[in-house]
Amino acid sequence: MKVILAVTGASGAIYARQCAERMLRAPQVEQIALIVSDNGRRVMEYEGESIPESDRIVRYRNDDMFCPAASGSARYEAMIVVPASMGSIGRIAAGVSLSLIERAADVMLKERRRLVCVVRETPYSSLHLRNMAALTDAGAIIVPASPSFYSHPATIDDLAATVTERALAQAGIDTPHYEFEGK
C-alpha cells in the first residue's frame, strides 16, 4: 500500500509523528510519500516533534508539483492530512491546488481514493463546518482531533494515539489499536 502523509501548520504535530511511526510498523504500508508545509515544519519544530527517518519514507517539497503525489497515475491508495489546518481544509474543499498537499488531496478526491483529514481547530466557525461538509460530500473523511478516554490513557502519547489510531483505520491501515468493549 502506498500512502501520502501530509503535515500542515495546525497544532498537533504529535499526531503526524504517531501516524508515521505506526505506518512504518504496518507491513501493508510499502511506501509513504511525506509532504510537510513550511508552517507544518515550523509547528513540528516548536512542538518538539519530528518524523522518523526510513527508506520507506520519500520526502517531497510542498512546492514540487511534478512529483508522483500530484498525479492519479501514481496510484497512492490513501492520504492522511494530519494535522489539517482550516486553511488547508478550505482550499482543498474549494478545489484550489496552490501546493502539493492541496493538489495531492484533489487527486485523491477525483480518483475516489481515501482522503482522511485530521482537523485540529476549536471552536469551528460556520465556514469551517461548511468546508468540512463539502469535503465529506466529495468523499473525504473528517477525523476531528478529539481524543477519547475509554482506554484510560496514562500519557499524552497514549491520549493522542486514540486519534491517530482512528485516522489510520479510516485510511484502511491495519495497526494494533484499542477496541471498546464496554461493561
Side-chain angles (χ1 to χ4, degrees), residues 3-181:
V3 181
I4 300 169
L5 178 63
V7 182
T8 71
S11 180
I14 188 172
Y15 299 118
R17 174 187 50 84
Q18 285 186 347
C19 279
E21 290 171 346
R22 283 163 171 73
M23 283 193 283
L24 288 171
R25 290 195 298 262
Q28 76 202 80
V29 178
E30 303 159 21
Q31 183 188 72
I32 301 166
L34 176 66
I35 311 163
V36 182
S37 72
D38 289 342
N39 283 332
R41 200 173 329 285
R42 285 187 204 100
V43 171
M44 287 191 83
E45 184 178 303
Y46 183 80
E47 293 181 353
E49 298 289 350
S50 62
I51 302 295
E53 295 293 329
S54 170
D55 292 342
R56 291 170 40 210
I57 297 177
V58 181
R59 296 170 187 260
Y60 294 103
R61 290 187 339 268
N62 197 28
D63 65 352
D64 184 0
M65 299 294 259
F66 198 70
C67 79
S71 173
S73 64
R75 297 194 180 271
Y76 286 96
E77 295 171 61
M79 178 176 180
I80 303 173
V81 184
V82 57
S85 68
M86 283 301 165
S88 295
I89 291 294
R91 288 184 296 279
I92 295 165
V96 177
S97 298
L98 299 177
S99 71
L100 180 57
I101 290 173
E102 296 152 5
R103 171 61 187 164
D106 189 42
V107 167
M108 299 307 287
L109 292 173
K110 79 179 186 68
E111 298 290 332
R112 305 292 193 260
R113 297 185 186 140
R114 291 181 194 231
L115 172 61
V116 177
C117 299
V118 182
V119 296
R120 230 306 299 138
E121 186 66 74
T122 191
Y124 298 136
S125 74
S126 61
L127 287 173
H128 298 154
L129 293 167
R130 281 195 295 272
N131 287 332
M132 288 187 288
L135 282 176
T136 299
D137 290 344
I141 300 166
I142 302 296
V143 176
S146 302
S148 67
F149 298 88
Y150 298 120
S151 62
H152 303 282
T155 66
I156 290 175
D157 238 42
D158 293 344
L159 187 62
T162 67
V163 171
T164 302
E165 291 166 359
R166 294 296 295 268
L168 292 170
Q170 291 300 313
I173 301 167
D174 188 27
T175 61
H177 60 276
Y178 172 79
E179 292 187 26
F180 180 72
E181 295 177 13

